Each structure stands twice: as structure tokens, then as C-alpha cells.
Amino acid sequence: MRLHAKPTGTEGSLVEIKYALDTLKADGVTLFTRYGDGNFYLGHKEFKPVWEELNKRKATVYTHPSGANCCVNLVQGVPESTVEFGADTTRTIASLIFSGMSLKYPDINWIFSHGGGALTAFAERFLIQMVTTPPYKDKFTRAQVEGELKRFFYDTAQISNTVTIGALAQLVPVSQIVYGTDYPYRTAAEHTAGLTAFFKGEDLKAVDRENALRILPRLRGA
């Protein structure tokens, strides 16, 4: 069958997902943390058909931040990648959890860039303030939110120093941390040195390779 018009929106996304995973045999898909002029973060109801499809496939989804429409040139002379990218990743994590989407679709393997962005700085707000005040009081428990944070995966790009990787390793199990470098903006050598200084033995092996292989098993022989 020949389509007379190219599908757009979530319909187009579903077509591309099926082509990528079924025809190209891709290991997963990549998404930005937000879409559209309305700053639609990934917990938005419009994305529900996409999450249904990816959850059914137990798919791996890697996310990368972008700059929110609100915050272009917010601090003159400071590029959005310096602060806003980290904030945008944290916004989409909040959106997925507090919309209920990540709980509803538990078989999606989420990977968040840069250690979840600013997540470690705001985790206490997620775990305490959000679940004890309206409108989320009695809708989510601390255990539910903590469970989601601890099942997501986080890469090590731009967080290989002791302070940031240490904070992430206290918030989530080492089993959920996967290697990343942010190349070409940073080098693998820099990240490897930082991670080797922090992790040892089986933990280092897990971060370097084994954690990623749990969700990308095809690469075990690579």
C-alpha cells in the first residue's frame, strides 16, 4: 500500500518506530526531552500511543535534552547547554513520573543523559514535597517515586567528577548507571579517568559495560 500523505505527529512516530525496530533492527530509539512550541515534555498525554507501542516492545529509549522555549538567552553569555540542558532533562523526568506515564508503562527502559541533569539536586523535592502537597498528595507515594528514579538508567556524560557521580551513585543503584562521554564535547579518556577513580571492581565493570548489556544484549559479542 502506498501512502498519499506522510503521517505526522504521533502517527508518524509510530510508523518510524516500527520501521526502525522491525526493519532496521535498531536497538532502541532516541527522543528529545521536549517537543513543540508548547513545551510538551514526555509525560504529556499526546505521547500516550508512543509509550504504549514502546512498552509493548520493552524498548530502550535514550533521551537527550534540548532548551525550553522559555529559556533562550536567559543568562546572557551563558549557552543553554551549560545549565538549561540539565534542567530540561530533570523537567522531563518530573513530567514522566508525575503524569503517571512511567508508572503506567514500566517495561520501557529509559536512559537519561548527563546523569539525569539536575535530578540529584531536586530529588528531595520529588520524594518529599511533591508527594505531601496538592495536587500530588495521595496520588503518588514516596516509594513509587523512588522506585521510578531507581529503575531509570542514567549515563555518565559530563558527570564523571567525584561530586556529581557520587551524588548519582547515592540516589540510584550502580546497576542503573551506564557509560557515556558526550563526545565530541568531552573525551572518553577524561570520563574513563574520572569513573575509574570513583568506581572499583565489579561496580566499575558494571558501569563500563555490563549495565548497558542488560538492555542491549545484542552487543554482548561486540
Side-chain angles (χ1 to χ4, degrees), residues 73-105:
N73 201 31
L74 191 64
V75 181
Q76 291 72 31
V78 178
E80 63 182 0
S81 61
T82 303
V83 175
E84 285 306 315
F85 276 18
D88 222 53
T89 294
T90 309
R91 292 183 189 115
T92 218
I93 293 171
S95 174
L96 282 165
I97 292 175
F98 293 107
S99 67
M101 287 294 186
S102 66
L103 281 162
K104 187 172 184 178
Y105 302 111

Side-chain angles (χ1 to χ4, degrees), residues 90 115-124 163-172:
T90 309
L119 177 63
T120 54
F122 293 108
E124 188 166 340
V163 173
T164 49
I165 195 63
L168 182 63
Q170 290 184 64
L171 179 65
V172 306

Side-chain angles (χ1 to χ4, degrees), residues 131-189:
V131 300
T132 57
T133 58
Y136 299 108
K137 185 177 185 295
D138 300 324
K139 292 184 179 179
F140 297 91
T141 66
R142 175 170 179 161
Q144 286 176 316
V145 175
E146 191 167 20
E148 293 304 281
L149 295 180
K150 289 185 174 182
R151 81 169 180 87
F152 296 154
F153 289 83
Y154 307 87
D155 81 21
T156 63
Q158 298 278 18
I159 65 156
S160 59
N161 69 84
T162 300
V163 173
T164 49
I165 195 63
L168 182 63
Q170 290 184 64
L171 179 65
V172 306
V174 172
S175 62
Q176 305 310 111
I177 302 174
V178 294
Y179 186 84
T181 67
D182 222 24
Y183 180 83
Y185 305 103
R186 295 280 302 283
T187 68

